[in-house]
Amino acid sequence: MKLISIFVPLLSLISVGLSLPEPGKWDFTVTPDTSFNYVVKSVYKGAKVYVQINCHSDVADSVIEVRLGILQSECWDYEDTLGKLKYVLNSYKVTNSSKEYLLMKSYSCNDHIILKEGQLQDKTTDGSPRPLHELSRDGAYLLGCFIKSENVKDTIGLHIEIKSDYGYLSAAEWPLLTFYGFMCIYYIILGLIWLLLSFLQWRDLLRVQFWIGGVILLGMLEKATFYAEYQSINDTGIEVQGAMLFAEWVSCAKRTLARMLVIIVSLGFGIVKPRLGSTLHRVVAFGILYFFLAASEAYLRNNRTTPYSKDVLVASVPLAVLDSAICWWIFSALVNTTRTLRLRRNEAKLALYRHFTNALIFAVLASLIFMVYCLKVHHYVECLTVWKDMWLEDAFWHLLFSVILLIIIILWRPTNNNQRYAFVPLLDTGDDNEEEEHLVNDAYGVKVRIHQQKHISPRNSVDDDLKWLEENVKSDPALPILDSDEELVCTRFEVSKMQ
């Protein structure tokens, strides 16, 4: 347990460094204070760069100086590459090789690459803008543009596009479009199967199965929103304001409901206990707190100014601590629930929880292995060259959760004998039914008193039954943990009906 709670915060912090989808179009307004602007992009070989400049001046023959540079980041180190780009632009070092492209020239407001009144003068024969440069190799690139005007009243607009053959998505994020599309179809299939099984067994559904249906629905909505956002960016190159944040908040809601589901299942809700009682308030409180922290972390991550901004740690560190507490709670509850079922000798429910525990252990081990891989290959390396598989840092957690959800669906699927896993109160065994007697023995660990006498005095029956119950209930020290006060009241009420 201690080992798990130590590594869970690390798993959460690794995901903080994940970047948001990079757009493919950028627009800047150049002023004397913002004369230098830059963009970053990972692309495949053959990607084309388009640069357009809108210039309007009240002074005739107004001249602007343009210095544009494209440098490849060999080690995915944008800060170091930005420093090199500023140096070569300021030192007028002009080169044109497969790794870098630099252009330094002065233009008037009616020159050939300058946009005048919104119309590009230099175009191809079909009327489309002519690309400024075509990148000759796969890699992460940084494009910087320095524009200086002699007239402070000049209005200059800078428009940059970087587009590959498939669209505007970055090379490091292009596989996620296909992944989210596949996961959307996967959740639709899961939802249809779960809906069909629930319809066929609607009379015997357990309450926990409604929670599972809610998680499937939110998972379907989450993947659909992510796929729609990535597809929109790939087609237009522009991120819709607020769309990515909405997708992130849907993901936060799904993760919150999923954690609440695992907690209540681990506590034995509907299987060992009929109700959670006051524990339900704690589960809801943890869920609300988790959603607030996760939504805050998503908001800060979506609105950070640079890829290396540390503001997101304000919410991610408390979120990691809360995740650790939830993980500790889940495994502690599983230990108590399996001990309860072992004392009650209920082999059917015990086998169910053993499979569930093994699935969670598998998830933890897989997470630890992937964490070590990410730390070794992506985070603690002198030169990051395997950037093409960085999309896995996003996809792995979605894939791992979908596997765990599939296991939960298989274990708690609606079936004809669904009620054998449901909580069963003390039964009336007046018909001397051996099957019911065995079921109650498994559930409570007590011997069932069979009323074989046909005539029992109504005056003494309740007192005799209560006395018999006290004498036959096991005096195991762990037994008070098994039944809550509400269950004891329910048991006494059922005994009162055994007349």
Side-chain angles (χ1 to χ4, degrees):
M1 296 296 182
K2 292 182 179 180
L3 183 62
I4 293 173
S5 60
I6 289 174
F7 279 104
V8 166
L10 295 177
L11 294 171
S12 301
L13 288 174
I14 284 180
S15 62
V16 170
L18 300 179
S19 59
L20 297 172
E22 298 172 353
K25 296 179 181 180
W26 299 265
D27 288 286
F28 304 96
T29 300
V30 180
T31 65
D33 296 331
T34 59
S35 57
F36 179 78
N37 298 278
Y38 71 95
V39 299
V40 294
K41 191 79 169 177
S42 59
V43 298
Y44 291 119
K45 177 182 177 181
K48 298 177 178 61
V49 179
Y50 300 85
V51 178
Q52 303 173 5
I53 301 176
N54 290 303
C55 180
H56 176 74
S57 177
D58 295 332
V59 179
D61 299 329
S62 178
V63 177
I64 61 173
E65 180 185 359
V66 178
R67 305 179 191 176
L68 186 140
I70 304 174
L71 292 184
Q72 182 180 1
S73 179
E74 296 289 348
C75 299
W76 200 268
D77 188 354
Y78 289 125
E79 292 182 346
D80 182 64
T81 307
L82 180 60
K84 293 180 180 178
L85 182 59
K86 289 182 177 180
Y87 171 75
V88 295
L89 287 179
N90 291 329
S91 62
Y92 293 90
K93 176 186 176 183
V94 180
T95 62
N96 188 359
S97 65
S98 60
K99 294 184 179 181
E100 58 187 17
Y101 172 85
L102 296 172
L103 171 67
M104 301 182 186
K105 193 174 181 181
S106 296
Y107 299 94
S108 63
C109 283
N110 57 358
D111 211 329
H112 68 288
I113 69 165
I114 303 301
L115 278 171
K116 185 177 182 180
E117 298 179 353
Q119 299 296 322
L120 182 66
Q121 295 179 354
D122 186 14
K123 297 182 179 180
T124 59
T125 56
D126 60 356
S128 60
R130 189 182 303 277
L132 175 67
H133 186 63
E134 182 173 330
L135 302 174
S136 59
R137 61 168 61 185
D138 300 346
Y141 288 85
L142 190 145
L143 185 150
C145 185
F146 176 85
I147 300 178
K148 183 179 179 181
S149 174
E150 296 179 353
N151 181 16
V152 295
K153 295 183 179 180
D154 288 347
T155 301
I156 303 173
L158 174 65
H159 177 79
I160 300 173
E161 293 186 23
I162 301 179
K163 185 179 181 180
S164 299
D165 295 334
Y166 57 80
Y168 288 98
L169 274 177
S170 297
E173 296 158 352
W174 163 247
L176 286 174
L177 178 63
T178 305
F179 173 78
Y180 285 128
F182 168 78
M183 292 302 297
C184 186
I185 298 175
Y186 171 80
Y187 271 91
I188 291 175
I189 294 175
L190 282 185
L192 292 176
I193 293 175
W194 190 258
L195 186 62
L196 177 62
L197 293 176
S198 300
F199 177 77
L200 294 176
Q201 309 297 333
W202 66 274
R203 294 180 180 272
D204 300 320
L205 289 179
L206 304 177
R207 280 171 289 183
V208 70
Q209 290 168 341
F210 290 97
W211 285 73
I212 297 175
V215 174
I216 296 175
L217 180 61
L218 281 177
M220 188 189 313
L221 181 61
E222 174 200 30
K223 298 304 182 293
T225 52
F226 273 117
Y227 176 77
E229 177 63 16
Y230 273 77
Q231 186 65 56
S232 175
I233 294 177
N234 188 57
D235 292 339
T236 65
I238 301 174
E239 179 181 349
V240 179
Q241 186 69 25
M244 198 65 196
L245 184 60
F246 173 76
E248 290 283 352
W249 282 353
V250 172
S251 178
C252 293
K254 190 243 354 186
R255 286 153 49 194
T256 300
L257 187 60
R259 280 159 174 76
M260 295 175 65
L261 170 64
V262 175
I263 290 175
I264 64 174
V265 167
S266 303
L267 290 170
F269 171 69
I271 307 295
V272 177
K273 301 177 181 179
R275 299 174 185 84
L276 294 179
S278 59
T279 307
L280 180 62
H281 300 296
R282 286 196 295 162
V283 175
V284 173
F286 266 83
I288 294 175
L289 180 59
Y290 182 87
F291 178 79
F292 174 76
L293 291 177
S296 301
E297 186 268 338
Y299 176 81
L300 293 174
R301 184 156 40 87
N302 274 266
N303 291 275
R304 59 184 174 180
T305 55
T306 64
Y308 300 96
S309 177
K310 303 300 181 182
D311 296 341
V312 70
L313 295 177
V314 174
S316 61
V317 172
L319 182 63
V321 174
L322 181 61
D323 243 341
S324 178
I326 291 176
C327 188
W328 177 273
W329 190 8
I330 289 172
F331 279 92
S332 299
L334 280 175
V335 170
N336 292 333
T337 301
T338 53
R339 182 179 60 181
T340 298
L341 294 174
R342 193 178 298 110
L343 291 173
R344 293 179 181 179
R345 299 188 298 276
N346 193 320
E347 294 299 328
K349 295 181 182 180
L350 185 59
L352 179 72
Y353 272 86
R354 281 174 178 168
H355 291 308
F356 180 63
T357 304
N358 291 336
L360 293 184
I361 293 175
F362 161 78
V364 172
L365 293 178
S367 300
L368 293 178
I369 294 174
F370 185 74
M371 180 193 69
V372 174
Y373 166 80
C374 291
L375 291 175
K376 182 178 180 180
V377 178
H378 292 160
H379 294 272
Y380 291 100
V381 290
E382 293 183 358
C383 183
L384 176 60
T385 57
V386 289
W387 54 269
K388 290 184 180 181
D389 61 357
M390 288 187 66
W391 66 276
L392 291 173
E393 292 197 14
D394 260 347
F396 174 81
W397 305 110
H398 293 282
L399 188 62
L400 180 63
F401 174 78
S402 65
V403 172
I404 299 302
L405 180 60
L406 179 61
I407 294 174
I408 293 176
I409 289 174
I410 294 175
L411 293 177
W412 273 272
R413 67 191 183 279
T415 58
N416 292 328
N417 57 351
N418 211 22
Q419 291 299 320
R420 70 172 178 169
Y421 296 116
F423 173 82
V424 182
L426 192 62
L427 298 176
D428 182 5
T429 54
D431 296 331
D432 196 17
N433 190 312
E434 294 182 359
E435 182 179 356
E436 292 183 355
E437 177 183 352
H438 177 69
L439 180 60
V440 176
N441 285 340
D442 285 344
Y444 289 95
V446 299
K447 296 180 180 179
V448 178
R449 183 182 183 185
I450 308 300
H451 294 274
Q452 297 179 348
Q453 298 180 357
K454 297 296 183 180
H455 303 286
I456 302 178
S457 174
R459 180 177 57 187
N460 298 327
S461 60
V462 176
D463 294 337
D464 291 343
D465 288 334
L466 292 176
K467 181 178 179 181
W468 173 88
L469 185 62
E470 293 175 356
E471 292 176 353
N472 287 274
V473 172
K474 292 183 178 181
S475 59
D476 195 295
L479 193 58
I481 303 176
L482 307 183
D483 300 302
S484 63
D485 294 339
E486 186 176 2
E487 293 177 42
L488 293 177
V489 172
C490 181
T491 301
R492 292 179 181 272
F493 175 73
E494 295 292 336
V495 170
S496 67
K497 297 191 297 183
M498 297 173 59
Q499 301 184 24

